[in-house]
């Protein structure tokens, strides 16, 4: 990033979870000016308190764009989860939202694009430039090699390769960011249930004896879909992932380096160390060769 | 099959489930002589009663091979589930099993081969020729096109293609015989949990609103893995599959024609008709083009 870019304002539209505060803290360390627009009911007031956020109600899209324009924002980062469904009563009170509603609706229901592609287009039509976490806080992405104290052994690398092969085989389809392998056997592939639920399934399959109880090293691999827009939809791992992976008896978590975010990095790595799991970044193009580990 | 083959004895080693009786009934209609060797505690005595089975205890591998040799068996079909783990006390009483034990153990624990490949080799070393359901009762395999009263519409065919694309992408890995798509979105891929558990997961994801509740047509596709030995390890669907698919709100079940067995065909199709699901066979090489349906 150029020095000029670092001196301009960065707008962060913050949804739920720990990640918005992680990003804000990283950006703050670079000295770049920030404007945090936090979505009420989604963003975490406590975690963001130090960053002086401006709060908007859910659905106040018009007000949000007025704030961004008034502050002269251009680079904009959308980060954090949005779990609530739009409340159309809230939208009806915001004339700026109402004016944009046809565009918003067509973004959500229309065409072959994903909702997120539509959302990006709405921001771009307001003259904003959507940036990703990799642009403003690249240290939050998982790097190459072991991230915590534990290192994957040869058997763990084999399991990683098997799980990664499954994820990569599905890369062109809109499914399957993560998979679990025990030894060379892929035992679970993530669908709409999400990573945590997939790991819980592995724990249950072990408990009932449907898969081995520790005779093979188990590893979860998580990567990004080929079609994924990494500016707005980065795969993540965090403390919860470590907890569920440990409960599933896995030896560790491997992730595609540079394309997966580690939320609450210090906490995540401390928990991994405590529970004896490795967390390692593997090269993005394929799972092997491994970096010196 | 040649007339000569039809006149020779067919040995059927029967494990659990309805399929052994389905096969026996089909073979009986051809007039071919049969010898059913049923495994106690696995095979269904009631379903097989009409076929005069010889019963062997679990682990009496020696006795089983003596019976097959005495009756002059050559073509042998292994069919039905084996759920119990070997009981080594039972094996110890069977000297024919004891003599073969090194071979059995190496089949089960050794090398890169699967257990089933090892089992086939054990039978072949006894001079037996392993045949598959497709050789002796091909009408039990799902044929091309709709099998019951319902036919898949265009939307269902699109969903089928999406689910099939996921299964086929994973075909070279030892995972994923089945997947579920809602519209073009693949929402579940089968791992070690099995088909029924995957369908239950889809029902749960719908119940909690994590995936749509009927706004997209849902279809399960089931196929065979590339590496699968279809003589001993055919994917199956049956009444249970229909029940779970219906509970998951799916419009139907598509299966790779000629490579998936329909267990209890009449019952399965009657249940599918009753619950409004289609069951259709799609060409093996790829999911499209569809047969005229």
């Amino acid at each position: 990033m150029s020095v000029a870019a670092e001196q301009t304002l960065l707008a962060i539209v913050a949804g739920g979870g720990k990640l918005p505060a992680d990003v804000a803290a990283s950006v703050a360390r670079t000295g770049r000016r920030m404007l945090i627009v936090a979505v009420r009911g989604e963003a975490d007031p406590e975690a963001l308190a130090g960053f002086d956020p401006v709060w908007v109600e859910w659905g106040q899209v018009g007000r949000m764009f007025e704030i961004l324009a008034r502050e002269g924002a251009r680079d904009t980062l959308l980060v954090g989860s949005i779990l609530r469904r739009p409340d159309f009563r809230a939208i009806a009170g915001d004339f700026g939202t109402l004016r944009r509603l046809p565009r918003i609706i067509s973004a959500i229901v229309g065409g072959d694009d994903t909702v997120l592609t539509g959302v990006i287009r709405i921001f771009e039509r307001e003259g904003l430039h959507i940036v990703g976490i990799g642009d403003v806080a690249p240290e939050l992405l998982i790097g190459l090699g072991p991230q915590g104290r534990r290192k994957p052994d040869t058997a763990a690398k084999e399991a990683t390769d098997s799980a990664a092969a499954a994820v990569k085989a599905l890369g062109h389809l809109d499914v399957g960011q993560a998979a679990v392998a025990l030894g060379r056997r892929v035992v679970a592939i993530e669908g709409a249930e999400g990573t945590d639920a997939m790991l819980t399934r592995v724990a249950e399959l072990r408990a009932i004896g449907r898969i081995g109880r520790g005779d093979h090293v188990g590893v979860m691999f998580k990567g990004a879909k080929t079609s994924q827009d990494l500016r707005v939809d980065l795969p993540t791992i965090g403390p919860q992932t470590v907890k569920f992976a440990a409960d599933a008896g896995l030896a560790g978590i491997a992730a595609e380096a540079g394309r997966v975010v580690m939320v609450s990095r210090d906490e995540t790595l401390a928990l991994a160390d405590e529970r004896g799991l490795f967390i390692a970044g593997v090269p993005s193009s394929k799972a092997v060769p491994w970096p010196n580990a």
Side-chain angles (χ1 to χ4, degrees), chain A residues 111-210:
Chain A
D112 281 341
D113 284 346
T114 65
V115 172
L116 283 171
T117 307
V119 169
I120 289 175
R121 198 174 308 123
I122 291 170
F123 277 82
E124 287 175 344
R125 283 190 189 153
E126 301 285 336
L128 298 163
H129 174 235
I130 299 295
V131 297
I133 290 174
D135 300 316
V136 299
E139 69 274 21
L140 298 181
L141 302 178
I142 291 174
L144 275 177
Q147 307 290 299
R149 276 209 304 271
R150 288 260 173 174
K151 295 180 196 324
D153 60 14
T154 305
K157 289 177 187 178
E158 272 182 16
T160 301
D161 292 345
S162 292
V167 172
K168 279 159 205 304
L170 295 167
H172 61 295
L173 300 168
D174 193 20
V175 65
Q177 292 185 101
V180 173
L182 302 189
R184 290 192 183 156
R185 181 181 175 211
V186 179
V187 295
I189 299 176
E190 181 184 336
E193 75 276 18
T195 304
D196 294 351
M198 177 192 65
L199 290 169
T200 301
R201 179 160 86 244
V202 173
E204 288 166 357
L205 290 170
R206 282 205 144 149
I208 63 171
R210 179 115 191 186

Side-chain angles (χ1 to χ4, degrees), chain A residues 62-80:
Chain A
R63 180 156 177 259
M64 177 188 68
F65 283 131
E66 281 158 24
I67 294 166
L68 293 173
R70 189 178 65 212
E71 301 292 330
R74 184 158 187 280
D75 285 359
T76 304
L77 178 73
L78 308 177
V79 61

